[in-house]
Amino acid sequence: MPEENSLSDYINKSNEITKVFNKKIRIALLSSFTINGLSEVLKVKSMERNISCVVYEAPYNQYSQEILNEKSDLYKFLPDITFLILDTRNIFGEIFRFPYSISHLERAKIVEKKVKEIKNLLNKYIENSNSKIVVTKLNIPSFSPNGIFESKTEYGFYNMIEDFNKQLTKNYLNSENIFIYDFDKFITKNGEDNVFNYTQFFFGDLKISIDFLPVLGQDLMKYVIGYLGITKKCIVLDLDNTLWGGIVGEDGFNGIKLGPEPPGNAFMEFQRVLLSLHQRGIILAINSKNNFEDAIKVIKEHPYMILKEEHFATMCINWNDKVSNMKEIVKEINIGSDSIVFIDDDPVNREFVKSIFPEILVVNLSDDPSSYVLEIENLIDFSVLKITNEDRNRGKMYLKQKKIIELEKTSTDLQTFLNQLDLKISIKDVNEFTLPRVSQLILKTNQFNLTTKRYQEIDIEKMIKDSNFIVTCVQVEDKFGDNGITGVFIIKKENEKEWRIDTFLMSCRIMGRDIEKGIMAHIINKAKENNIQKINADFIPTQKNKPVENFLSDHEFKKEGRSWTYKIKSKIKFPEYLRIEVE
Amino acid sequence: MSNKLYEIISTVMKIDISTISDELGPKTIENWTSFNGYVLLNELETGFNVKFTIDEAMDVKNIADIKRHLTNKGISLDE
């Protein structure tokens, strides 16, 4: 069983929550059986991540009524995420025990009918609610009356449930609001006999045992993390006894443990997991106390190194302490330290980093390299509701970034550097193709963000359709390639003479290149073309958006009361080093 | 009397150890809801490494019943 606190700990702790956090989540729980205790688990697990969580629990097995009645408490609660937790017994009723009392054709018909029922509920719900809904796949029980003959049975018991799951999943592949939680995988991981306890089932209609409710809660937190966009983006890694066994400075290039034989194979597999995360957009970096020459030789030349130089956004390999190196890494990669995961086999280093950066997720790596893989697999912090092209190409972007930093170092002044970069920005209205990325930027950007307003896709879609809003994104290219969509601004037309900048943000990747000057010039000129006299704007300070604190005054906005205003006189010139294309 | 037993009851039911007595049960302990009753039995199973049958679970109406069933399972409560 995974390391977890007992349910009664969660129940007690949840009653003691008094702190209110900035991050908030409203969760509705619908289920076909008793899930008492799950709300307490979610509340406490949210609190541990500095999130205030409010939960609505629909009455037991009333999910259809709650969804079908638009005036139900479920709708009044206005959830952000709704979990619909179904179970196979409940969906199939008598057929669960007696699948072979009917023909395979009848079984198929029942599945079709049940899928349709759930689909109707889900569609009805998202039509009437702004909530995301997560519905569980049905668990396939290990017992079948047909026993080992099950796999020879046409559209047998297992097939029925598999088909139900498949049909449901297929329907919502591209849905922004309906998600399918693989409850069957949860059972696979934790074991049917552990999760389902017959005594508790008969005694209290518990279909998830008391010990495993916290484990389920942990898994469901993935959706909270994805919804709030508090996903970790970068893994900072130690080298000796982390990426390979032994100490390269002492054991030498040929003495370290890395290769197909144990224990070297554990390190290879660990590197493979890291590479798979990198391929889907997680940034990797090195923070190691080592002779640079020793370590880089392994990275470049060792035949069994899975991770290569190109996979690391930055490599801090020196004799500085881990905290100084971490500061360097944060600066170089230009991300919030709260989006970092730190992996180091040395508990002293871990404690040191944790003491200075409490917001960094420091993994308590065990002494046994054969458990490293599982420790990474069990992290829920990389969860996203969507993987965009920008995510997939992030690794390449950072490689490019490295080259830009090199160029900056060799340029004598900023102007020369910017001229050499050959910057081009394309300003375009947001459409269905760019919407997911725009929403991701709005949910995640912390530093260069004037108002830090968080909008879900559905909110942005409404603004796009509303003629009172201009929702625009910015794509940035330079001599090293395409940075993708890295800027967003939203204008609210307050009246015929005035606009307000509702949102203005840029990804940290393109900060420091004065691109914002070009974007602002575009906004002012576009306003002028529309006979607008004033542009209003707000700066809402947060702990993280210091990079924009002087943004408005730098662009000649004047403070008027709480807000800032720019009086438009004439069109203004674009910076010379920028090529601007408006689509 | 067993500290461990009282500690578990006190944690799950959120009552002071000194107030626990044999005759207390769902009617006298506010937090002893049916669900919390399951949680209590589950915690006792883990804590004492025992397993209650469904008959034993259904038979528990107060603290004395819990003690009786634990004693029947060979748990010594006189520490």
Side-chain angles (χ1 to χ4, degrees):
Chain A
M1 159 159 201
E3 235 174 77
E4 255 302 346
N5 294 324
S6 73
L7 186 62
S8 74
D9 281 344
Y10 283 103
I11 295 175
N12 287 335
K13 270 194 203 156
S14 82
N15 288 320
E16 287 157 13
I17 299 174
T18 49
K19 216 170 160 188
V20 180
F21 301 100
N22 289 333
K23 283 183 224 119
K24 293 183 171 54
I25 191 88
R26 300 176 71 80
I27 299 175
L29 295 176
L30 306 177
S31 84
S32 59
F33 55 94
T34 323
I35 42 156
N36 289 34
L38 187 58
S39 70
E40 285 84 349
V41 173
L42 291 170
K43 282 180 198 166
V44 173
K45 286 190 180 283
S46 295
M47 177 202 69
E48 288 167 352
R49 289 167 191 274
N50 297 335
I51 304 164
S52 287
C53 171
V54 196
V55 182
Y56 169 74
E57 269 180 79
Y60 161 36
N61 209 7
Q62 299 273 309
Y63 61 91
S64 301
Q65 294 90 319
E66 289 271 313
I67 289 176
L68 293 174
N69 174 9
E70 286 162 36
K71 291 191 177 117
S72 70
D73 289 344
L74 170 66
Y75 290 105
K76 284 183 204 144
F77 177 72
L78 298 173
D80 299 313
I81 306 178
T82 303
F83 291 108
L84 173 57
I85 305 173
L86 302 172
D87 82 296
T88 319
R89 275 166 207 275
N90 188 278
I91 293 291
F92 289 115
E94 284 293 290
I95 302 302
F96 178 85
R97 272 294 167 214
F98 310 116
Y100 299 121
S101 63
I102 54 174
S103 72
H104 73 273
L105 291 173
E106 285 171 302
R107 285 196 291 275
K109 258 189 202 154
I110 288 179
V111 168
E112 200 183 315
K113 183 172 160 252
K114 293 293 172 187
V115 171
K116 208 170 153 197
E117 277 172 23
I118 298 296
K119 261 167 55 184
N120 285 344
L121 282 180
L122 295 175
N123 293 341
K124 164 99 184 168
Y125 190 56
I126 57 160
E127 261 171 41
N128 293 298
S129 155
N130 283 338
S131 172
K132 309 252 181 227
I133 180 158
V134 181
V135 57
T136 57
K137 272 191 191 177
L138 296 183
N139 169 233
I140 304 171
S142 57
F143 177 80
S144 156
N146 274 9
I148 54 171
F149 192 70
E150 179 64 32
S151 53
K152 299 259 183 209
T153 311
E154 190 173 359
Y155 205 78
F157 180 49
Y158 293 170
N159 293 143
M160 273 177 79
I161 306 168
E162 274 163 11
D163 195 29
F164 178 97
N165 288 341
K166 222 185 262 171
Q167 288 192 39
L168 203 61
T169 311
K170 202 176 79 192
N171 257 288
Y172 300 112
L173 216 51
N174 295 314
S175 170
E176 303 292 346
N177 299 311
I178 302 174
F179 297 84
I180 311 292
Y181 170 65
D182 208 331
F183 184 63
D184 206 44
K185 283 279 174 300
F186 174 75
I187 304 282
T188 308
K189 185 163 171 68
N190 295 293
E192 185 185 27
D193 293 346
N194 300 316
V195 176
F196 188 82
N197 174 320
Y198 269 108
T199 317
Q200 292 182 1
F201 169 54
F202 292 129
F203 191 38
D205 193 32
L206 305 183
K207 287 172 182 156
I208 296 166
S209 67
I210 290 171
D211 283 338
F212 280 83
L213 268 174
V215 187
L216 178 67
Q218 173 78 357
D219 224 22
L220 297 184
M221 281 302 290
K222 291 174 180 171
Y223 290 94
V224 175
I225 290 170
Y227 180 86
L228 293 173
I230 51 172
T231 309
K232 301 288 179 196
K233 300 175 194 164
C234 171
I235 307 178
V236 177
L237 296 147
D238 171 45
L239 293 176
D240 291 332
N241 285 319
T242 302
L243 287 193
W244 55 70
I247 297 165
V248 65
E250 290 172 15
D251 304 326
F253 183 88
N254 293 318
I256 58 167
K257 295 173 191 108
L258 183 68
E261 303 296 326
N265 55 358
F267 292 98
M268 271 180 87
E269 187 70 2
F270 181 54
Q271 290 198 22
R272 284 193 192 99
V273 182
L274 293 166
L275 180 59
S276 72
L277 287 172
H278 173 78
Q279 285 170 349
R280 85 108 162 106
I282 303 294
I283 309 158
L284 303 178
I286 297 174
N287 182 349
S288 162
K289 274 190 186 181
N290 244 316
N291 283 328
F292 183 80
E293 291 73 24
D294 293 342
I296 200 73
K297 188 169 190 286
V298 176
I299 294 168
K300 281 185 170 169
E301 296 171 24
H302 199 286
Y304 295 114
M305 257 322 264
I306 304 286
L307 294 170
K308 315 274 186 218
E309 197 179 358
E310 71 205 53
H311 299 127
F312 298 105
T314 183
M315 296 190 286
C316 277
I317 306 171
N318 49 45
W319 290 101
N320 299 339
D321 67 81
K322 297 260 170 170
V323 165
S324 310
N325 274 345
M326 192 62 91
K327 284 180 183 158
E328 203 51 44
I329 291 168
V330 169
K331 207 171 118 200
E332 194 154 315
I333 306 182
N334 205 0
I335 55 168
S337 48
D338 59 355
S339 49
I340 288 179
V341 175
F342 179 52
I343 302 183
D344 192 316
D345 68 296
D346 181 352
V348 177
N349 287 333
R350 296 202 295 255
E351 274 314 304
F352 185 36
V353 168
K354 215 191 270 181
S355 68
I356 306 293
F357 296 99
E359 68 282 11
I360 289 183
L361 175 68
V362 179
V363 178
N364 273 330
L365 211 59
S366 81
D367 298 337
D368 176 8
S370 68
S371 54
Y372 287 5
V373 171
L374 195 59
E375 280 163 32
I376 286 287
E377 286 178 352
N378 283 343
L379 289 180
I380 62 170
D381 301 78
F382 302 118
S383 306
V384 283
L385 297 186
K386 186 137 212 164
I387 295 177
T388 60
N389 280 336
E390 272 78 6
D391 289 323
R392 290 186 200 101
N393 292 324
R394 187 167 291 128
K396 286 181 199 135
M397 300 278 185
Y398 277 93
L399 206 61
K400 206 162 71 68
Q401 189 83 3
K402 264 202 243 176
K403 289 183 188 154
I404 291 176
I405 290 169
E406 288 302 308
L407 178 69
E408 196 173 4
K409 279 179 189 159
T410 54
S411 304
T412 44
D413 61 87
L414 184 66
Q415 214 53 43
T416 328
F417 166 65
L418 290 173
N419 281 331
Q420 282 177 349
L421 258 184
D422 201 9
L423 284 162
K424 181 188 149 194
I425 65 174
S426 312
I427 296 177
K428 36 190 158 188
D429 289 340
V430 177
N431 59 28
E432 63 194 283
F433 301 107
T434 49
L435 180 62
R437 170 62 178 164
V438 165
S439 163
Q440 188 185 45
L441 281 169
I442 287 177
L443 288 173
K444 282 187 174 177
T445 308
N446 294 317
Q447 298 182 64
F448 203 103
N449 196 339
L450 210 49
T451 52
T452 322
K453 291 187 180 171
R454 305 297 196 198
Y455 298 120
Q456 297 291 335
E457 268 187 53
I458 194 159
D459 307 317
I460 305 165
E461 252 179 318
K462 277 182 198 155
M463 285 193 259
I464 294 171
K465 285 180 193 146
D466 186 340
S467 60
N468 288 319
F469 285 93
I470 303 173
V471 186
T472 312
C473 61
V474 183
Q475 186 171 354
V476 179
E477 286 170 68
D478 56 44
K479 68 184 279 186
F480 298 109
D482 189 352
N483 291 279
I485 291 164
T486 31
V488 176
F489 62 87
I490 300 176
I491 303 288
K492 185 172 186 226
K493 298 176 184 170
E494 293 194 308
N495 55 50
E496 281 176 13
K497 304 280 176 218
E498 294 180 35
W499 282 2
R500 179 172 296 274
I501 300 176
D502 175 272
T503 294
F504 190 111
L505 62 86
M506 286 188 346
S507 158
C508 49
R509 264 205 319 253
I510 52 156
M511 272 164 60
R513 298 185 214 167
D514 284 0
I515 286 163
E516 61 277 17
K517 286 187 183 157
I519 303 175
M520 193 49 108
H522 166 80
I523 295 175
I524 291 169
N525 294 345
K526 190 164 177 171
K528 179 73 186 163
E529 284 164 19
N530 284 279
N531 296 320
I532 298 300
Q533 293 172 354
K534 271 161 94 181
I535 300 177
N536 303 316
D538 303 293
F539 166 61
I540 304 174
T542 67
Q543 282 182 346
K544 292 185 179 166
N545 67 353
K546 210 169 163 38
V548 285
E549 67 180 352
N550 297 321
F551 176 68
L552 292 170
S553 56
D554 287 349
H555 288 83
E556 291 172 22
F557 278 69
K558 299 279 175 276
K559 197 156 191 190
E560 285 186 4
R562 279 185 181 176
S563 189
W564 292 76
T565 293
Y566 178 87
K567 289 201 176 93
I568 302 173
K569 291 177 200 99
S570 53
K571 282 196 173 185
I572 60 169
K573 266 191 176 174
F574 287 113
E576 279 167 9
Y577 51 82
L578 272 182
R579 278 184 297 144
I580 299 196
E581 206 168 81
V582 182
E583 288 175 18
Chain B
M1 189 40 68
S2 164
N3 284 333
K4 194 164 154 193
L5 173 63
Y6 279 21
E7 270 163 22
I8 293 174
I9 297 171
S10 154
T11 313
V12 176
M13 297 298 170
K14 265 181 269 132
I15 52 171
D16 200 275
I17 290 192
S18 62
T19 64
I20 300 175
S21 60
D22 279 5
E23 66 285 357
L24 293 187
K27 284 180 190 149
T28 39
I29 297 179
E30 198 194 332
N31 284 317
W32 195 322
T33 57
S34 59
F35 182 72
N36 241 352
Y38 313 144
V39 175
L40 176 63
L41 293 180
N42 190 66
E43 292 283 307
L44 294 170
E45 287 186 337
T46 315
F48 289 102
N49 195 23
V50 294
K51 180 105 186 58
F52 295 109
T53 65
I54 189 162
D55 290 331
E56 287 164 340
M58 290 177 66
D59 179 56
V60 170
K61 302 280 184 288
N62 54 37
I63 307 268
D65 294 334
I66 292 174
K67 286 184 182 170
R68 179 163 48 81
H69 290 303
L70 284 174
T71 313
N72 287 345
K73 290 178 186 300
I75 305 289
S76 162
L77 297 173
D78 308 316
E79 299 162 25

